[in-house]
Amino acid sequence: MSEPQVRERVHREVVSYVRRSARMRPNQRRAWEQHGHEYLLDVPQRETSTSIAPDARLDLPAAFGRSAPLVVEIGPGTGESLVALAAARPGMDVLAFEVYAPAVAQLVGALAREQVRNVRIVAANAAEGLRHLVPEASVSELWTFFPDPWPKARHHKRRLVGPGFAALAAGRLGPGGRWRLATDWDDYARQMREVLDAEPMLRPEPVTGGRWDERPVTRFEARGVAAGRAVHDLSYVREGAGRE
Ligand SMILES: C[S@@+](CC[C@H](N)C(=O)[O-])C[C@H]1O[C@@H](n2cnc3c(N)ncnc32)[C@H](O)[C@@H]1O
């Protein structure tokens, strides 16, 4: 699978991530070239390399080579939590959306090294991926760990977890499906609670001990704790029937 190219600037919509150079280090390029075909799903894009064409579709059973309960992770970064969580769930299929190509390459390398086979990656915007590629009511678990916090008030509109995205994501969960989130920003945790509490398809549930104990500590969590920030783990369960 060929490496993504940085494309010329086009009209930009508001997105939850920083558009950065896709330049990879040699070991990342090697992982992408050697193992990309095992994990990366090619999807047609619009004008930017992180976009997804509205008519794009995925054949998930073909992509995973089986039918199994589906987990979706949004923004796994280099996969510090994804690799361990997926390895501990061989009976589930994990579909990850990550926009930053060097992180994806590192994730691919880690999955190959650990021989984790139940993960597929779309290197594109999760908001578009959920909308176009993931069927309604098809997801058993959705993971959103340490999404970019966009702490400045003028950037809050870029936060992933807002009302529109919450409705989209909740609709992708099957009844009883669970959305797990974590953030080390008090203010973002508050926003998540407000938005998700207000979403009629979701019901909050307590997280035992205040932290999902299976979730490995990542660099982002460690950095937040070192800076004196508290980590908030949230969990919401999908109830009722679907809506779009
Ligand atoms: C702060 S990092 C956290 C990484 C990882 N979840 C962890 O806990 O270590 C946020 C990640 O989400 C990715 N990201 C942000 N918005 C995204 C989106 N809309 N679609 C896919 N990936 C996204 C970023 O590229 C980045 O890798």
Side-chain angles (χ1 to χ4, degrees), residues 16-17 20 75-77 97-100 124-126 145-146 148 218 220:
S16 61
Y17 47 93
R20 292 179 279 184
F97 292 98
E98 171 54 61
V99 284
Y100 187 44
N125 183 358
F145 303 140
F146 302 94
D148 294 299
T218 67
F220 289 98

Side-chain angles (χ1 to χ4, degrees), residues 218-239:
T218 67
R219 256 177 325 130
F220 289 98
E221 176 166 2
R223 204 185 289 163
V225 170
R229 292 192 292 271
V231 172
H232 306 266
D233 270 71
L234 278 60
S235 183
Y236 283 79
V237 176
R238 164 76 197 265
E239 44 190 8

Side-chain angles (χ1 to χ4, degrees), residues 11-244:
H11 175 71
R12 305 295 196 193
E13 63 223 85
V14 174
V15 291
S16 61
Y17 47 93
V18 184
R19 296 181 191 276
R20 292 179 279 184
S21 158
R23 195 186 307 263
M24 295 183 195
R25 295 199 299 268
N27 62 328
Q28 293 170 332
R29 185 168 312 111
R30 210 172 311 120
W32 185 287
E33 285 168 3
Q34 286 181 356
H35 298 289
H37 65 280
E38 297 165 44
Y39 297 103
L40 293 166
L41 302 180
D42 240 339
V43 296
Q45 59 199 44
R46 294 181 290 120
E47 62 273 23
T48 63
S49 61
T50 53
S51 64
I52 296 175
D55 58 353
R57 295 292 175 266
L58 271 186
D59 181 345
L60 287 171
F64 284 96
R66 65 175 185 179
S67 288
L70 182 65
V71 178
V72 173
E73 177 159 11
I74 298 171
T78 57
E80 283 178 281
S81 42
L82 170 58
V83 176
L85 289 172
R89 289 165 178 70
M92 302 185 94
D93 290 338
V94 185
L95 178 65
F97 292 98
E98 171 54 61
V99 284
Y100 187 44
V104 171
Q106 219 156 307
L107 168 59
V108 163
L111 290 167
R113 216 167 30 249
E114 300 298 325
Q115 302 188 14
V116 178
R117 305 288 176 222
N118 57 332
V119 175
R120 298 293 180 272
I121 308 162
V122 174
N125 183 358
E128 295 175 63
L130 275 184
R131 184 172 301 283
H132 304 311
L133 304 178
V134 177
E136 232 186 299
S138 66
V139 176
S140 298
E141 287 216 18
L142 179 62
W143 299 336
T144 313
F145 303 140
F146 302 94
D148 294 299
W150 297 107
K152 292 182 181 156
R154 72 173 190 279
H155 288 148
H156 283 183
K157 60 179 179 292
R158 301 191 66 165
R159 287 178 168 174
L160 182 73
V161 184
F165 183 76
L168 169 68
R172 273 17 188 197
L173 287 172
R178 180 169 284 118
W179 188 359
R180 296 183 182 278
L181 309 96
T183 180
D184 57 335
W185 290 84
D186 292 349
D187 171 56
Y188 199 2
R190 203 173 311 120
Q191 171 173 330
M192 287 174 176
R193 286 201 180 90
E194 276 170 20
V195 165
L196 301 185
D197 286 353
E199 171 47 57
M201 284 183 276
L202 296 175
R203 164 174 57 82
E205 64 170 9
V207 177
T208 313
R211 187 186 184 284
W212 185 32
D213 55 2
E214 283 187 56
R215 188 175 57 69
V217 177
T218 67
R219 256 177 325 130
F220 289 98
E221 176 166 2
R223 204 185 289 163
V225 170
R229 292 192 292 271
V231 172
H232 306 266
D233 270 71
L234 278 60
S235 183
Y236 283 79
V237 176
R238 164 76 197 265
E239 44 190 8
R243 130 189 144 184
E244 180 70 355

